[in-house]
Amino acid sequence: MSQLGWKHRIKSLVDIKQDEYRQTLLIFAYNFLIFGAHTIIKSVQKSMFLNQAGADKLPYVYIGIALAAGLIMQVYRAFVKTTRQSRSIIVINLFFISNIMVFWWLLNRYDQPWLSYVLYIWAGVFSAISIAQF
């Protein structure tokens, strides 16, 4: 399909102006990657937690998510107010990427039940912030 062809198809579905194609593509890619990461993290989070702690402990992590998300969203809000939007998105996503790398390292090195609690709460906070950021 030629370049003119895909633009014409997109234009027939939504009203994207000539200078908005790049931004639209970047937003689509960001959305795709965030939701892909969210899906993978949620799968790992739930299976690992249920395997190690059991379903009867779920209320505790739900309370933990609510408390942690409430506190962290206040810090997030203050950070976003004082930082350019493009910079805050980059910094926060780099922070989450570094968190994922730390979790990968910890999970491969230690077999501790508390890690499943921390990962579950962290994944809930990640979901809240990534949705707010989008």
Side-chain angles (χ1 to χ4, degrees):
M1 179 183 301
S2 70
Q3 185 177 14
L4 183 59
W6 70 266
K7 284 185 180 180
H8 178 69
R9 283 191 179 189
I10 291 174
K11 195 166 189 141
S12 69
L13 297 172
V14 291
D15 185 26
I16 300 174
K17 308 215 180 347
Q18 183 67 27
D19 60 334
E20 295 175 337
Y21 283 106
R22 181 175 179 269
Q23 292 168 322
T24 303
L25 182 63
L26 289 173
I27 295 263
F28 173 79
Y30 178 76
N31 186 33
F32 178 79
L33 292 172
I34 287 296
F35 282 112
H38 172 77
T39 302
I40 292 168
I41 289 168
K42 282 291 196 183
S43 299
V44 170
Q45 163 212 35
K46 288 182 188 297
S47 64
M48 186 177 137
F49 185 81
L50 291 174
N51 187 36
Q52 289 189 352
D56 58 322
K57 302 289 194 273
L58 281 172
Y60 300 115
V61 289
Y62 290 148
I63 292 168
I65 290 170
L67 293 173
L71 294 172
I72 292 171
M73 286 302 278
Q74 296 303 316
V75 174
Y76 169 79
R77 195 173 116 223
F79 176 72
V80 169
K81 278 185 175 181
T82 61
T83 310
R84 284 190 345 257
Q85 182 181 17
S86 60
R87 181 172 171 78
S88 69
I89 289 171
I90 291 169
V91 168
I92 290 167
N93 284 322
L94 287 174
F95 172 75
F96 280 131
I97 290 168
S98 69
N99 288 180
I100 291 169
M101 291 168 55
V102 167
F103 275 119
W104 176 79
W105 181 78
L106 287 170
L107 293 170
N108 281 312
R109 185 155 184 139
Y110 303 104
D111 187 25
Q112 297 292 321
W114 63 268
L115 280 171
S116 64
Y117 285 86
V118 174
L119 178 63
Y120 205 100
I121 292 169
W122 176 88
V125 172
F126 167 74
S127 296
I129 289 179
S130 60
I131 289 168
Q133 195 171 29
F134 181 73

